[in-house]
Amino acid sequence: MKSPDDERAFMRVERPCRSGGAVVVAAVIAGITALAPAAMAQPRDTPRAVAVIETTIDANSQLRWGPHLSDAKAGVTRSRAYFVIECYARGSWYDDGKHHTDVWYNGAVTDGDHIYPNIYSWGGNVNTRKDPPDGLRFCG
């Protein structure tokens, strides 16, 4: 583990004086770990929460207003689309023969010129390393 001293960085700032010379100012900036209280430290094996995950979603994926197959459809992607995932939920279990999961992702999908905000998509259609990715916030 690094000590707070290892996290310190030096910054050199030069700015012109009125006389045309330069003043060199050296500043020591402590790393974030030196400023964080010990109570906020997380164990090494605990993944840190991520704000969002930017990925893609497969073509012909159904987008729904909730994490269940019974929830109304918001649309269907026409091609592989851009998906900004904000969180995941446990919903309807689904098995398409290749993937089987009850993870549903919530976020915004951009499919061509159409944006679907605050929708859900089943995890098997979303291109992530695993369902759900480490650190992604649980939303219900």
Side-chain angles (χ1 to χ4, degrees):
M1 177 182 272
K2 291 183 177 181
S3 72
D5 291 334
D6 293 337
E7 297 296 325
R8 296 185 205 266
F10 292 92
M11 181 176 67
R12 181 181 163 134
V13 179
E14 293 185 23
R15 65 179 173 195
C17 286
R18 291 183 187 200
S19 63
V23 174
V24 177
V25 179
V28 176
I29 300 174
I32 293 175
T33 56
L35 299 176
M40 295 179 65
Q42 294 183 351
R44 293 179 80 95
D45 59 346
T46 302
R48 294 183 185 269
V50 294
V52 297
I53 293 178
E54 299 177 18
T55 188
T56 57
I57 183 170
D58 297 337
N60 302 313
S61 295
Q62 293 184 12
L63 307 175
R64 297 186 180 271
W65 293 116
H68 301 283
L69 293 170
S70 60
D71 290 318
K73 285 185 195 175
V76 177
T77 57
R78 296 173 295 196
S79 61
R80 179 175 256 188
Y82 182 67
F83 193 4
V84 177
I85 302 170
E86 296 180 18
C87 58
Y88 76 96
R90 298 285 181 183
S92 296
W93 184 266
Y94 186 72
D95 185 342
D96 68 356
K98 195 165 72 169
H99 303 285
H100 46 279
T101 186
D102 67 344
V103 172
W104 290 69
Y105 294 108
N106 175 255
V109 170
T110 304
D111 186 19
D113 60 352
H114 194 87
I115 297 174
Y116 298 93
N118 197 30
I119 55 84
Y120 287 83
S121 183
W122 175 65
N125 293 331
V126 180
N127 300 304
T128 58
R129 291 181 190 253
K130 68 179 192 174
D131 290 324
D134 290 336
L136 184 62
R137 183 175 62 87
F138 180 72
C139 57

